[in-house]
Structure formats: structure tokens, C-alpha cells
Amino acid sequence: MTHDADIILKNAILLTMDANLSLYEPGAIAIQGDHILAVGNEVDVCAQYSSEFTLDCQGKVLMPGLINAHTHAAMTLLRGLADDLRLDVWLMGYMMPVERQFVSSDFVRLGTKLACAEMIRSGVTCFADMYYFEEAAAQATADAGLRAVCAQTILKFPGPDARDYEEALENTRLFLGKWRSHPLIQPAVGPHSPYTCTQDILRLTASLAKEFDVPLLIHLSETHQEVENSRKEHGMPVIPYVKKQDLFDAKVLAAHCVHVDEGEIKTLLHHKAGVAHNPSSNLKLASGFAPVSKMLEVGLKVGIGTDGPASNNDLDMFEEIRLAAFISKSTSGDPTTLPAPMALTMATRMGAEAIQLGAITGSLEVGKRADLILVDNFRVHNSPRFKREPEAIYSQLVYSSHSSDVSDVMVNGNWLMRDHQLLTLNETDLLSAAAEYAQRIDTFLLEREHSVLSKLIAIGGASEEESYEVQVKVAVTNPEIVTSGVNQPGIEILHHRHYHEYDTYFSFTDATQGYLRYREDEAIGPDDQITSVRYRLTLLGPTREGNFPTDVLLSRSRFIAPANHSLRFYREYFKPTQETVIEKHRLRWRILYHGLEFFINLDRMDNPALGHFLEVKSRTWSRRDAEHKALVTRELIHSIGITNEIPVSQDYIEIVNPPAPK
Ligand SMILES: [Zn+2]
């Protein structure tokens, strides 16, 4: 007597991807509701179970659906937006500003649906996602019928869905509470990375994940620069640093782990962290090569991910599996490393373990959820098939099959695609909605790109100080006149410093854009040692208001931002047409003269070697005050002892204060 099953799939090359890589041909699987009742040889399964719905798989490969271990699904809407850039310029210069402007729950819903359509087509049944408005991502995924770990992103700065990290944490808490027992969605906590989170955030997110017993998703050790910065700032590389913040109290899924040493791999293993290896993304962003074979050797659970569609630029897991195998072989110089069955294991059972869902999906075993795909292995590009060794089927799948060979997809016992037809999503509608977003984002970026100021504001932190600046600059042959001249009864010294300054001026074809100055200020102590270093970015006003009286210059508009990024970042982001470097020693006095505040700078220009210059500056917020200060400035110059001003080198004026536009 046979038992009833809801559906039986038979006449397949059945790859279970279980721990023994059990393979049945012809194999069959019996499904009841959301789970697998039986899996094995067709004769055995059909002797035990019968069903009204029996599907003849016609000799195709029946295997567990693929697990995309790391993505940002909604970024399908940003696919191809900005490419061929370094990670920091790409992320801080383009992705984050556009995300702040456009990402909403509507955006995330649409972007995630598009991603689901693409992933179903390529045989993905489960993915680990990190993004904003993750509730919308969860809903879209559940509606599409896919399984996912959905992690709500938390950052130290304002994100599209939270004004600060406290709000982000609160939203995450509500999200976890609401979705924790959903059949398809595993909610999770997503501190973006150690460099976009504070120590507090890392600690709080770990304890939140622990409290709800949910996974914690994070990007770790993605680039060499990230690790170097961690060493500089925290005195240790990334993995020990996050360990110190008790991050591994949670069940961690770490994306990338490109730059980790053996000790760090052991730390990850010891804390049962999963790793998401992202071959395309690491290749495209030239992040380096993750030591995957070393990770596998020690028993770390390594899954394979596509990363977001803006850094890949697709969600094709077949491509990722192949690349994972190829890269591991190439970088180790050993073609026997990461063989096809292992590559496919990483994308199925081990991937599910890495994303902390190993108990319910990733292999075709009795009791697990019915998450499976059918792959056509009779196509021109993946035929013929050799049967001498059973492993040949894995080679066929890993080295010559395409995502478009996936014909049918089932998740949780429900069909999402039958014979290449999507059953839960309408691609035509999704594509036209995506095109509308692309047009709006293009318009936004076109407007931003034509102004240096708006590009500066877009990367955050620029504070506008629209003040008037009064300044006199004169060349001085004897600097001692100035050093002794400031020490006189009429001048009250408030503050005195010595700096060594390196300035890089970016100029642009359109002179009305002004100059952007990247300044590295080394404060020099009494014993000539460097006491502190500060980096500032200043957009010097495009307009020079004029000279009055005679040598006193009045300029307007300067926008100052702390320079959080490297000079290289700004060079690649702003793309200046010319760069000028100036190096000088500066003695600086902040003084009061006739009750007004001035800065007196005595510069020794070392590069170019132009000698000494005295600069007297003062800032004010009204033009009338500026006129008054201009008169007092001249008086101050005279009282310091500079009576016969020598005309300032024209070169120097040009560099520091651009001429008025014609
Ligand atoms: Zn990522």
C-alpha cells in the first residue's frame, strides 16, 4: 500500500547534495505541503508513495535550489549606474548619495521583485539580503514565494530609512518581532560594516541579534584598505576588532572576508560564523582574492553570493559558482582545488549552513523544505554527458551549464516557475517601472555632476559658510619683522600655532566652479614634533568679489568639509582637470586688534620655493563690516612693520584666489 503525497517528481538525475552527495538516477522525490517526504531511487519512492500529481522530469537534473549567500536585492534598480570605480568612490560617491535621495519602501519593493524574478530564473530558491526598508524587501520576497534571510541595515550615519542608528535599531527590533515566525522569511540584523558602524553599534546589533536568536549579516575585510585602516585606527585587523566588540556573540554571516589571515579564519570557525564569498564583486572591484580553499580546509562554512546587482552586475549564481572554482584554482596554482562537487556544495548545502538556514534547506533530504530546481542538461552548450564517473554531472553543471538552463523552480512546496514561465511575478510591468526610476536617477545625477559644490554636498559633511573674507597678502623679505611685529601692545595674541601644510588644489575646466583645496595640516609642537594632523576640504568661492581698497581682497563663499576620505578618493570622485601642490610652513596667530579678530599667517613657501609671505585675514558676515575691516587690515599691516608692500607673486594669487569670471 502506498501513502499519499501532494506531488511526486520522477525520472530525474537527482542530486541530493546531502553530506554523502547521494545521487539517484532515475531518482524521485515525494513532497507533502512544504516539506520532503521521501527522496531516493524512483522505484523505491514510487513503491512507497503515490500522488495525483506526478511530474516526469524527462531525465533533467533535479537538485536543491541555489543559495545566494549575499546580495542587496533592491539594488537591481541601480544596476549599471556607476561602474569601473574604486569601492569607496563607488559606494560613498555614487551609491550612498543616490540611495539617500531615492530609496524608499516603494523602491525596495520594486527592486526586490525584479531581483526575485532574476533569481528564480537562475535557479535561486533562497538568498541572504541586506538593505534598507527591509520589511518591504521581506514582503516582496514572500509575495514572490522565495525564501530569504532579510537583514535590516544599520549605519552610523543617516540612511534612507532612519535619521540615526538609534532609529535604525528601533526599526530593526520591530521588524524582527513582526517577521520572526514567517515560513519563508528569516529576519536578521545588518550592521553594514565595521567602517560604517561605531563600536557601540556593533555591540548593540550583536546583542539584538542574540536577544531574538536571529542571524547578523555584515561586510567584513572586503578590501586591503579596510584592513589597513582598521590597523591604524584600532591597532588590529578587522576580525579581532569586531570580536572585541562581542560581534560573534551573534550567529554571524560575514560577507567577503577577502583579507583575512589564518588566525582570523580560525576565529571565524571558532565562533561558527558563515562566510559569503562573492567572486564577481571581488573581481569587479579589484578587492582581491578570498583564501577560500584555506577556509574550506579548516571546515569553515563558505557560501557563494552575487553581492548586489550594482557591483556584479547580475544575480547569476551559475556564473558565481564557476568563478569561485576558477579563482580558487588560479590563486592557489592548483587545478585540483575546489572541484566541481565542492563548488556546487558551497552554492547549496554549505551555503544554507553559512546563512544559518542549514536545518531547513540547501539539500534534498527527508524533512527539509521542498526547495528545488530542474536543470536542462540536454542543451548544445552542456552536452554530451559522460557516465563513467558519477562526478561528471557536477562538472556539467558547474563548468558548462547556464542559469537559463533552469526550467522549473519550487520553493516551500510551491511552484514559482514552470517550464521557464514565472508564476508569481510579471516581468513586463516590473521592467517598465524600473525604466522610470532609471530616468529619474539619471536626471538627479546630471544635475549634480555639473556642479562641484553639489558633488561636495552629495558626499555629505559640507557645511556652507557663506562669509566674506577680507585678506591682504604681501611678500616679505625679512620674516623677523613679522615675528617681532606681532608682539606689541596694540595686538592681543589669543592663539599661536605652527603648521606644516600640504595643499592640493583641484581646478576645473569651468573656472566658475572655483577651486577645491585638500589640505593636510600638521601641527608642529615646540620641539618640532608633529602633535596632530588634520585634513580639510574647502571649496574656495568661485567668485572674487573685488579688491578694496587697493590690495585688500574680498572673496565670498567657501564651503568646508572635513576630509574623511583620501586625496585619491577626491581625485577620482571630482575628476579635476588640473592639480597644483603647495607645501609651506605657517606660523599662525589669532589676534585681536582694535577689538576685531584677525588671523595673521606668516608662510614660508617651500614648494614652489617662493620665499615668505604675510597674510592677514578676517572673516565677516556682512559686506559693510567687510569694508570696515579692510581699512583696519591695512592699518594692522603697517603697525606690524610692513610699510612698503612688495607686490604679491601673481602666480600665488592665481592659485589661491581664482580670477573673477569674465
Ligand atoms: Zn555587499
Side-chain angles (χ1 to χ4, degrees), residues 383-401:
S383 297
R385 175 176 168 228
F386 294 93
K387 300 181 182 176
R388 190 178 77 257
E389 289 174 359
E391 285 77 33
I393 188 69
Y394 299 100
S395 296
Q396 201 180 352
L397 286 163
V398 170
Y399 300 129
S400 53
S401 290

Side-chain angles (χ1 to χ4, degrees), residues 70 72 219 256 307-308:
H70 178 67
H72 313 283
H219 298 93
H256 301 299
D307 207 348

Side-chain angles (χ1 to χ4, degrees), residues 377-589:
N377 54 324
F378 301 104
R379 312 281 299 271
V380 168
H381 58 261
N382 62 15
S383 297
R385 175 176 168 228
F386 294 93
K387 300 181 182 176
R388 190 178 77 257
E389 289 174 359
E391 285 77 33
I393 188 69
Y394 299 100
S395 296
Q396 201 180 352
L397 286 163
V398 170
Y399 300 129
S400 53
S401 290
H402 296 169
S403 57
S404 54
D405 301 338
V406 176
S407 60
D408 299 81
V409 174
M410 175 186 277
V411 174
N412 219 37
N414 297 313
W415 288 115
L416 307 186
M417 182 164 79
R418 284 288 287 122
D419 196 19
H420 300 279
Q421 297 299 310
L422 294 184
L423 303 178
T424 54
L425 293 156
N426 181 330
E427 283 163 301
T428 315
D429 291 353
L430 294 175
L431 287 173
S432 70
E436 269 174 44
Y437 261 108
Q439 200 192 343
R440 282 168 52 200
I441 294 170
D442 264 343
T443 309
F444 165 75
L445 280 178
L446 280 171
E447 273 170 22
R448 183 190 89 164
E449 294 290 303
H450 81 249
S451 148
V452 175
L453 176 59
S454 58
K455 282 192 84 166
L456 182 63
I457 289 168
I459 52 173
S463 65
E464 187 173 334
E465 287 188 28
E466 222 192 347
S467 57
Y468 290 93
E469 189 164 86
V470 175
Q471 59 167 275
V472 168
K473 211 186 305 273
V474 291
V476 289
T477 40
N478 182 3
E480 272 162 32
I481 294 177
V482 179
T483 47
S484 58
V486 294
N487 288 298
Q488 57 168 285
I491 297 176
E492 185 188 343
I493 296 173
L494 302 172
H495 195 245
H496 174 50
R497 291 302 289 267
H498 174 194
Y499 293 104
H500 190 184
E501 293 181 337
Y502 299 87
D503 292 342
T504 304
Y505 288 88
F506 289 167
S507 54
F508 305 90
T509 316
D510 173 9
T512 61
Q513 298 284 343
Y515 284 66
L516 198 60
R517 182 183 70 201
Y518 177 87
R519 169 169 287 177
E520 183 181 333
D521 251 339
E522 293 176 351
I524 308 291
D527 304 320
D528 277 353
Q529 80 283 22
I530 298 167
T531 55
S532 65
V533 186
R534 152 180 101 156
Y535 302 89
R536 289 225 287 184
L537 195 67
T538 306
L539 176 62
L540 295 155
T543 49
R544 180 186 191 178
E545 287 275 302
N547 290 350
F548 69 81
T550 56
D551 296 333
V552 181
L553 180 88
L554 178 71
S555 65
R556 199 158 73 96
S557 303
R558 30 169 67 218
F559 303 88
I560 299 175
N564 298 322
H565 304 293
S566 64
L567 179 60
R568 192 265 308 147
F569 172 93
Y570 296 117
R571 179 179 296 131
E572 292 178 14
Y573 176 66
F574 286 104
K575 302 188 184 92
T577 42
Q578 204 191 318
E579 277 186 46
T580 312
V581 176
I582 290 177
E583 185 187 342
K584 62 179 180 285
H585 273 271
R586 166 168 285 183
L587 294 177
R588 156 168 275 216
W589 292 268

Side-chain angles (χ1 to χ4, degrees), residues 465 467-472 490-496 588-601 615-621 625-626 628-634 636 640:
E465 287 188 28
S467 57
Y468 290 93
E469 189 164 86
V470 175
Q471 59 167 275
V472 168
I491 297 176
E492 185 188 343
I493 296 173
L494 302 172
H495 195 245
H496 174 50
R588 156 168 275 216
W589 292 268
R590 183 158 63 88
I591 61 128
L592 282 181
Y593 182 70
H594 291 318
L596 298 173
E597 192 183 80
F598 289 91
F599 287 97
I600 298 174
N601 297 323
E615 190 178 77
V616 176
K617 280 181 162 190
S618 158
R619 183 170 302 170
T620 177
W621 279 264
D625 284 353
H628 174 59
K629 275 197 166 176
L631 292 169
V632 181
T633 303
R634 288 191 64 79
L636 173 59
I640 289 172

